[in-house]
Structures are given as structure tokens and as C-alpha cells.
Amino acid sequence: MRPLIYIMTPVLILTILLASRFVTWDAIKGVNRQAEVYVQEGTASLRSWKLPQAINAFTRAIEIEPRYAEAYMKRGLAYYRSEQYETAITDYNQTLKLKRYQADAYASRGDVYQSLGDMQRAIDDYTASLKRRRSNHVIQKRAETYLKYGDIQKALADYDDLIQRKPTAMAYYGRGKVYLQLAIESKADFLKLSLADLDQAIALEPRFASAYIHRAEVHKQFGDRTSASQDYTYAMGLLTDAIQQQLMLTLIKNIDAF
């Protein structure tokens, strides 16, 4: 499953899967047993992307326990996945008012603001989350948002931090993209740095399709069209294999449903 995530990075559905996350929640002492059952049912539906059922279950839990922070938090995720962004924000706001799961609520609300194109609010929320708990995943999201927002230096600082503490293929890939953008914008000698990071990303994850695509662009900037063509061809092969595999999984699920 892990290699498939890297392969399908450019594909919207698995990008959403990669951006989304499940948190381990502390049990709420003294909560109504039926409300707990509804949250358990909603969580199962959320994991299988049965979003209307999940929203309904969490809503029933909240009707019984109006201060059930976990239910608000998870219903917010269900609304987010349903692209009901304003409603998701309302649930995350309520979670924050209840002073529970604050690091997760800020990070999740940041995801919503990024989806809405409000990069400054997304950055503010990711930063608020990191003040409460360090998370490499949230740093990665903030770095990506800084890059979209046009704050190259802060994006670079976040990627440097990630690579220093826990070097991963995604971190090297992200920093490689930053260096590539700097090279294109300033014509400075950032191409070698970009190539080195993308090489490292591919070394750590050999089936990372997006890394091949961006490395192909670096090769093209260098004027090495042969290497660029090889990387593009290999990336397209990876994406084709991944899409075929995803279609096969969908077909199997549909057959099992009958």
C-alpha cells in the first residue's frame, strides 16, 4: 500500500487520501453508551468512505451528547471529504471551543482552508497546530501551502527542518520542487540541488511517479532531453499500472457487492 501512495500522488483521489488522516482518540469518560456506539458506527463508515452514513451516525451521537468533541471532530472530517467545507469548519470550530483535540482540529481546519484556496488561514492553522504538537505530517502540509502561497523561503525552511529530523522521500521531493521553482524563477544554479533531492527521493521510493516527472523537468532545464524522456516514460508507466490496479480493486469491490 505504501508504494501505491507514492505512485498515485498526482491522482486526485489518492492525493485526498494522502492529505486525510485518522487520529487515535482518547475515550471520553462518562459519555452516554449509545452515543459511543454511534461514534463507533460513524468511524467504521468514515473508514470505508460511506460519508452520508458517517455524518448521520456522528450527528446522532451529538444529539445525545452535545459536548462530544470526538463526534464533532470526526464529523468535520466526513464533511471535509464530502466537500462540504463550511460545515466542516463549523465542526472544527466547535471542537476547538470544547478545548479537545486542538492540534488535530487546527490541522484539519487548515486542510479545509487550503481546499478553499485560503492559504494564509491554512498556514495560520497549521502553525497553531504545531505549537500544540509537533507533527512531520503537518509541517509537510505547511511547507506545501507556503509553496502555493509563494513564500519560497519559508517552504524551504520547513523542508530543511523535515529532512534534518526525519528524511523521507516526500520531504526530499518537496524540497526538490522548491529548488526547481527557484531555478526557473531566478535562473540561479539551483538545478543541481533540485536534481540531488529528487534523486534522493527516488532512491528512497523507487516507484515515486511524481518525483520522476519533476526530475524529468530538471533534466529538460539542463538540456538533457534523453534523460527527461526516460523519466517521463517511466513515470507514465507507473501511473498506468497504478490506475489499472485501482480499477481492478474497484471491480472486485463491485463484484463482492452483488
Side-chain angles (χ1 to χ4, degrees), residues 21 26 43 48 78 84 90 96 128 166 205 225 240:
R21 54 195 175 276
D26 297 328
T43 301
S48 58
Q84 299 180 57
T90 299
L96 291 168
K166 188 178 180 181
E205 182 45 66
R225 296 192 175 276
T240 299

Side-chain angles (χ1 to χ4, degrees), residues 33-188:
R33 176 57 187 159
Q34 186 57 55
E36 284 187 287
V37 170
Y38 282 135
V39 166
Q40 291 168 4
E41 292 176 358
T43 301
S45 296
L46 189 59
R47 286 177 177 151
S48 58
W49 283 72
K50 297 175 181 177
L51 302 178
Q53 295 92 321
I55 290 169
N56 183 58
F58 294 135
T59 299
R60 289 187 175 186
I62 290 167
E63 288 171 350
I64 296 171
E65 289 281 358
R67 295 181 60 81
Y68 202 159
E70 181 179 349
Y72 284 108
M73 186 70 207
K74 290 186 174 180
R75 190 175 69 174
L77 179 56
Y79 280 132
Y80 169 68
R81 289 183 172 179
S82 302
E83 298 184 7
Q84 299 180 57
Y85 297 133
E86 297 298 337
T87 314
I89 289 172
T90 299
D91 273 355
Y92 292 138
N93 289 344
Q94 183 61 32
T95 307
L96 291 168
K97 287 180 182 178
L98 293 170
K99 301 187 184 302
R100 299 292 299 271
Y101 314 110
Q102 293 205 336
D104 295 301
Y106 276 118
S108 297
R109 195 174 69 178
D111 290 344
V112 179
Y113 282 131
Q114 187 180 139
S115 295
L116 289 170
D118 192 339
M119 299 305 167
Q120 184 57 66
R121 284 189 175 180
I123 289 167
D124 290 344
D125 272 355
Y126 292 142
T127 301
S129 175
L130 290 167
K131 286 179 180 178
R132 287 156 178 81
R133 185 184 67 219
R134 177 183 168 83
S135 164
N136 289 337
H137 177 79
V138 176
I139 295 172
Q140 178 86 32
K141 295 287 289 185
R142 188 175 68 175
E144 293 168 0
T145 309
Y146 275 134
L147 187 57
K148 292 176 182 177
Y149 193 55
D151 198 332
I152 303 296
Q153 294 305 317
K154 287 185 178 179
L156 194 57
D158 271 353
Y159 283 124
D160 285 344
D161 182 29
L162 283 171
I163 290 169
Q164 182 179 3
R165 291 172 179 266
K166 188 178 180 181
T168 63
M170 284 297 294
Y172 278 114
Y173 166 69
R175 193 172 70 175
K177 286 198 302 179
V178 174
Y179 283 140
L180 176 58
Q181 186 167 326
L182 285 169
I184 293 171
E185 290 178 356
S186 66
K187 307 300 181 184

Side-chain angles (χ1 to χ4, degrees), residues 13-34:
I13 293 176
L14 291 186
T15 302
I16 294 173
L17 284 171
L18 181 67
S20 299
R21 54 195 175 276
F22 284 97
V23 252
T24 301
W25 307 96
D26 297 328
I28 298 179
K29 294 181 180 179
V31 76
N32 181 280
R33 176 57 187 159
Q34 186 57 55

